Structures are given as structure tokens and as C-alpha cells.
Amino acid sequence: AFVKQVEDLRFVSCNTRKYRHLEDVTSDVAVAPDVEVWTILSSPSFAKRHKAPQENIPKAKEREVTDLLLASLSTLVGGKTNLQDAVLESRLQLWGAAVPLNTWSSANAGVVTTDEAATGFVYDAEHGVGACGDWLLEPSIEGAWESGRRLANWMTQEIANEGEDEKRSVGLPDRVSDQGGRFVANASVLQNSIGSFSR
């Protein structure tokens, strides 16, 4: 869920269900029934205040950032639980280098529309394959999610219209006019960073 109420957080996600299917399997990843797995993403301002070498985060910085994020999560859920004491294991990753500074822009081959449903992803109708991600729409978590949602909707629509002669590719260079796609600078990433959302 995107977070607006707590200054240092931007996104939290309970990932427990991803691992529940492994309970009956002998695996290092199996999760006990009473354990939850969470992903917590900070706000851009929090990340700027707590920069560290991403390849070798100092242990003291890792503990500090983890404790601060857990305290923010505790505030988000009501502030009555000391989550630091409940954590069995944690991992910290700095994603500063993962924020794309550019997004892909193309002529949207085969599509004559300004509808946003036909932007923010790449789809090759000839081969029935597509690609999505923040680098195709908006450099943020929301951009990645929205890109995937648009591609899924487009592919669903293409399957529903399968008997029609016209196949509609999106985001690819136009083979007829030889107009290719290109990366364009995205100014919003300098202000919002990866944990941003527009609504």
C-alpha cells in the first residue's frame, strides 16, 4: 500500500502469502505459520538523510535505518507495538542507483491514439509478447505498477479481439516509417525518487 500518513514511509507490502506455499516443502525460505514477511520502502527525503555506500552498508547505519523504518511502521499501524523486538530477520537494500533518470518514448507503432491505455509499456502483437516497468512510464513504484497494469489490460483486450485482422503493437519502432523509440529525460525523478506516487 502506498503511504501518505507517515513522513518517512512511502510503501509497505505484506509478502507472507508469497512464501506460505513453501510450508510443506523442505526449504530455507519456508515461513512458519505465525511469521509475517514485510517489505518497507522509505520516502525519498528519508533516503537522502540516510545515504550510505550501497555495496557495503556500515552495520551501525544498517541498524539505525532499520530501527527508524520499523518505528515508522509501528506509527503507521497504531504505535502500540515495538516492532524492533518482533523482528526475526531483516535485510536492508539501498536502491538509489536503481532509479531510472530516463523513460522510453516511441511512436507507438500501429496505434493511432492519445489514450493513456496505449502508453507506458511495449507490446509486440506479431509475437504476443510485452515488457513493462518504471523505465517505460514514470520512474517510481507507482510507475512500474501502472505500466504492468496497462500491459495486462492491453494483452487482455488483444486476446478478446483475436479474430480481428489488425494486430496492434505498442511502443515499438515503426517499421514502415523507420521512426525509432528513444529515451527521454524525466525531471520528476529528481524531485520524487523511487518511492513517489502522484495521487
Side-chain angles (χ1 to χ4, degrees), residues 74 77-82:
S74 181
V77 298
K80 294 180 177 137
T81 305
N82 182 355

Side-chain angles (χ1 to χ4, degrees), residues 26-179:
T26 303
S27 170
D28 293 339
V29 189
V31 176
D34 60 341
V35 172
E36 293 186 357
V37 179
W38 286 82
T39 298
I40 305 168
L41 298 179
S42 74
S43 66
S45 60
F46 179 91
K48 286 178 186 175
R49 289 192 314 269
H50 297 283
K51 279 189 168 185
Q54 98 180 31
E55 295 82 15
N56 188 19
I57 304 169
K59 291 294 181 193
K61 181 52 101 175
E62 184 176 348
R63 277 190 301 280
E64 174 193 4
V65 170
T66 300
D67 286 348
L68 289 168
L69 289 174
L70 288 171
S72 293
L73 180 60
S74 181
T75 299
L76 179 68
V77 298
K80 294 180 177 137
T81 305
N82 182 355
L83 295 176
Q84 287 90 335
D85 294 339
V87 173
L88 300 175
E89 181 181 345
S90 67
R91 295 189 184 160
L92 182 66
Q93 175 66 51
L94 303 178
W95 290 99
V99 179
L101 297 177
N102 303 301
T103 54
W104 180 255
S105 177
S106 71
N108 280 345
V111 177
V112 182
T113 181
T114 57
D115 182 11
E116 76 172 18
T119 62
F121 61 92
V122 174
Y123 178 71
D124 184 338
E126 182 179 346
H127 300 285
V129 65
C132 59
D134 61 345
W135 61 278
L136 288 161
L137 185 62
E138 176 67 30
S140 67
I141 296 164
E142 181 185 25
W145 183 88
E146 179 64 18
S147 174
R149 186 190 69 77
R150 289 181 188 184
L151 174 60
N153 287 344
W154 189 267
M155 292 177 80
T156 301
Q157 186 179 7
E158 284 294 297
I159 290 168
N161 299 332
E162 197 168 320
E164 296 180 10
D165 290 335
E166 181 185 2
K167 292 183 176 186
R168 302 174 303 162
S169 292
V170 174
L172 297 172
D174 187 342
R175 293 180 184 140
V176 176
S177 67
D178 199 31
Q179 291 182 338

